[in-house]
Amino acid sequence: MSDPTLDSPPRSPLPRDQSAENQAASAQNRAAIDRSCAGVCLAAFASALFWLALGSVLAILASAKFHLPYFLSDWGPLSFGRVRPAHLNTVIYGWSSLAAVGVFFWLFCRLTRRPMPMPSLGWATVILWNIGVALGCVAILGGGSRGIEWMEFPWWAAMPIFMALGLLGFWSVITFHGRREPHVYVSLWYLLGAAFWFPWLYAASNLLLHITPIRGVSQASINWWYGHNILGVWFTPVGLAAAYYLLPKVLGRPIHSYYLSILGFWTLAFFYNWAGAHHLIGGPLPAWLITLSTVASVMMIIPVTTVALNHHMTMKGHFYRLKTSPTLRFVVLGAMAYTLVSLQGSMMSIRTINQPLHFTHHTVGHAHLGMYGFFTLMMFGAMYYIVPRLTGRDWASSGLISLHFWTVILGLAMMVTTLTLGGIIQGMELNHAQRTLRSVMAEEGLIRGTLTFLGGLEERSGVIPFIEVVGSTIPWLTLRTVAGMVIVVGHLAFIALFWMNVRGLRPRRPGAAELGPSGMNEPPLGPQAMEMHGR
């Protein structure tokens, strides 16, 4: 089989009637695949959106408590120490992971050209995952958090999620073994990697941190090995698999370079796993470990630039399609955010850059750009493409689609900008203060006798009081809450769109499964492109 690249040798044109027959057979096969996985994928998407709604509420509460510390502070379950980790886990394991599971099932079936085998495994995966997230969130809000970031769920709540991951991996092996497409496309490389990497990472981390816990600096090292690599071996592979499938599919042209895509996959697999320790720069860890992590983080420039180049060259000459395709809008901006946040992460791993930025709100902005700007936008784009093919119905409102897009983009831009700028100022104040204690006390109206009593202490101090640094972040944190509210409007718009589609508020019509929203049609690939790209 020839490579699905733009420079592939031209193929002999098929006779018109044979081409039509091939297209009809291919359409029937796609329809059969979509019918086979519709229930499981829609259940995964519906539950993901439930957790997105709950996570959004918890996010606003947690954000508001930064500048309104007494807001709903009298009830333990709504204290900041419980609301914030509950928010983090609902959006990571609830929304993001269940959306990834739905996209995973659909893409895997499409890429293997096989109707979903053993759908009961898919249903069990979705049900077990939801049980685990529900148990974990109840435990956190009830005061049972383990206190380890990204792993706050107790082990008994993590167990159903691990079982679901085991079923997902087993189903992947069965489906891949019986595939009807002999070529393994790059999207399938990424999905297979995620199916095996993440269960091992999740099991090993829970074993070392919860079941037979280690202590001391090793605990922090394992924590950030997990916290960084859940992005690299779970969310990033699924997100990039969606991008590599959807860009050519919507545009009707093959990916720019198959070889670049494989280079991006293997360099991601090799370098990402080493990068977590750069979160512990300045901590009591061996210098060689931090240096190795920094080198690996900088080397991540290789897979990031290859993926960015591949996506850009695939889109080249077709950016005008962003005006009419909601899938392209979200996927392209998600891919751009992936490039930006990855390069930003590589730079933040360098010690001199890390020093004034670590432990500030800049890091929070960086995390939102990655998990929301890249992965969540990618899942929105994928769902805009997949859901009509599962239900056979068009989207109900192009106005709601536009509202969804512009509110989440505006809110994301506001949030990342305010946290980035506020974090830089916060870090400079913490690390490079120029004011003396005398000037601070004078501004507070303290009497001269107090200054005299302190002697020369005030002249030797060059540190801004920590509480003043905290106070300087309040305006930025207030804007963060406003940005979050804008994003929530977009979430509500998308949930309404999904509900209307699944409930059938728009009638079924022939061809709806091959089209996007009204006025935003997404044509299927032409016969040559289908043959070259294996769709």
Side-chain angles (χ1 to χ4, degrees):
M1 174 172 287
S2 61
D3 284 320
T5 61
L6 287 181
D7 56 354
S8 299
R11 298 170 180 237
S12 301
L14 296 172
R16 184 179 300 274
D17 56 342
Q18 185 180 353
S19 175
E21 291 175 1
N22 288 343
Q23 290 188 63
S26 180
Q28 290 177 359
N29 184 53
R30 292 197 300 269
I33 291 172
D34 293 343
R35 287 194 300 270
S36 69
C37 59
V40 173
C41 292
L42 289 174
F45 291 151
S47 53
L49 290 174
F50 167 79
W51 293 113
L52 177 64
L54 178 60
S56 299
V57 173
L58 295 172
I60 297 300
L61 289 176
S63 181
K65 288 175 180 293
F66 275 110
H67 52 90
L68 298 171
Y70 299 107
F71 178 61
L72 298 178
S73 61
D74 295 333
W75 191 33
L78 293 184
S79 61
F80 178 81
R82 301 187 190 182
V83 168
R84 196 270 178 181
H87 154 66
L88 177 66
N89 284 267
T90 51
V91 296
I92 292 297
Y93 298 106
W95 152 248
S96 299
S97 291
L98 280 165
V101 167
V103 172
F104 186 104
F105 280 129
W106 187 83
L107 279 180
F108 214 98
C109 291
R110 280 291 192 103
L111 290 164
T112 58
R113 299 194 185 190
R114 184 184 181 187
M116 188 176 194
M118 302 181 69
S120 58
L121 288 181
W123 280 105
T125 299
V126 174
I127 292 171
L128 283 171
W129 205 300
N130 275 287
I131 291 173
V133 177
L135 290 175
C137 289
V138 170
I140 290 173
L141 292 174
S145 171
R146 302 296 297 177
I148 300 175
E149 191 166 9
W150 294 74
M151 297 204 72
E152 286 90 350
F153 286 174
W155 70 266
W156 45 266
M159 189 60 68
I161 297 178
F162 175 71
M163 294 170 61
L165 284 169
L167 293 177
L168 184 68
F170 180 64
W171 178 89
S172 302
V173 172
I174 293 174
T175 307
F176 184 77
H177 178 72
R179 69 190 187 279
R180 299 174 181 175
E181 169 54 57
H183 189 82
V184 181
Y185 293 93
V186 63
S187 293
L188 200 54
W189 281 87
Y190 280 107
L191 294 177
L192 286 169
F196 291 98
W197 293 335
F198 185 48
W200 178 77
L201 174 73
Y202 194 68
S205 300
N206 272 284
L207 179 66
L208 293 173
L209 296 177
H210 292 334
I211 299 176
T212 57
I214 58 177
R215 295 288 184 259
V217 295
S218 297
Q219 185 183 65
S221 182
I222 295 296
N223 180 198
W224 280 110
W225 173 68
Y226 175 81
H228 201 270
N229 282 292
I230 187 178
L231 303 176
V233 305
W234 176 232
F235 296 121
T236 296
V238 175
L240 292 183
Y244 269 116
Y245 182 91
L246 292 170
L247 288 178
K249 187 68 173 176
V250 175
L251 295 175
R253 62 196 305 242
I255 201 71
H256 170 67
S257 172
Y258 179 76
Y259 298 109
L260 277 179
S261 62
I262 293 301
L263 175 64
F265 171 81
W266 284 112
T267 49
L268 173 79
F270 185 77
F271 292 124
Y272 211 120
N273 184 59
W274 301 88
H278 76 248
H279 285 272
L280 300 171
I281 289 177
L285 274 79
W288 66 265
L289 180 63
I290 301 296
T291 301
L292 180 63
S293 177
T294 299
V295 171
S297 297
V298 173
M299 293 300 291
M300 276 296 297
I301 293 174
I302 297 174
V304 170
T305 52
T306 56
V307 168
L309 178 63
N310 224 359
H311 289 170
H312 176 78
M313 294 304 294
T314 303
M315 281 296 301
K316 187 178 180 181
H318 294 78
F319 283 98
Y320 67 91
R321 297 284 300 278
L322 296 177
K323 296 180 181 179
T324 57
S325 171
T327 295
L328 278 184
R329 286 184 183 182
F330 283 100
V331 169
V332 169
L333 287 180
M336 293 171 63
Y338 169 73
T339 303
L340 179 59
V341 75
S342 299
L343 296 178
Q344 183 187 39
S346 295
M347 295 302 101
M348 289 173 62
S349 69
I350 299 173
R351 286 179 172 87
T352 54
I353 298 176
N354 182 278
Q355 183 181 5
L357 298 180
H358 204 35
F359 304 118
T360 69
H361 295 295
H362 180 281
T363 305
V364 182
H366 170 71
H368 279 81
L369 182 60
M371 274 308 301
Y372 197 94
F374 162 53
F375 189 76
T376 290
L377 294 189
M378 202 66 74
M379 292 299 99
F380 283 147
M383 291 171 71
Y384 270 118
Y385 190 85
I386 295 170
V387 171
R389 286 154 177 78
L390 299 179
T391 63
R393 300 186 185 94
D394 220 344
W395 292 106
S397 171
S398 59
L400 280 177
I401 294 173
S402 295
L403 177 65
H404 175 215
F405 176 79
W406 289 112
T407 49
V408 299
I409 295 302
L410 175 61
L412 175 66
M414 289 175 59
M415 180 171 294
V416 173
T417 300
T418 54
L419 290 175
T420 299
L421 293 178
I424 292 173
I425 295 172
Q426 179 188 16
M428 297 300 290
E429 289 182 345
L430 288 171
N431 290 278
H432 301 286
Q434 298 298 319
R435 297 166 59 188
T436 65
L437 181 60
R438 176 186 289 276
S439 64
V440 174
M441 297 181 68
E443 289 181 6
E444 294 298 324
L446 297 180
I447 59 174
R448 184 178 299 275
T450 304
L451 297 177
T452 303
F453 174 79
L454 289 174
L457 176 62
E458 70 275 15
E459 294 296 339
R460 294 193 298 270
S461 175
V463 179
I464 302 176
F466 179 75
I467 192 61
E468 186 172 325
V469 178
V470 173
S472 69
T473 65
I474 297 301
W476 305 102
L477 295 173
T478 304
L479 290 174
R480 171 192 179 175
T481 302
V482 174
M485 292 178 176
V486 174
I487 290 175
V488 170
V489 173
H491 293 172
L492 294 176
F494 186 65
I495 291 171
L497 281 166
F498 180 85
W499 182 79
M500 288 188 286
N501 190 287
V502 173
R503 292 288 295 174
L505 298 187
R506 284 288 294 271
R508 293 178 181 269
R509 60 181 179 82
E514 293 298 331
L515 299 175
S518 301
M520 300 183 180
N521 294 344
E522 297 170 355
L525 291 175
Q528 183 180 2
M530 282 192 296
E531 192 176 1
M532 293 171 63
H533 207 68
R535 300 295 189 261

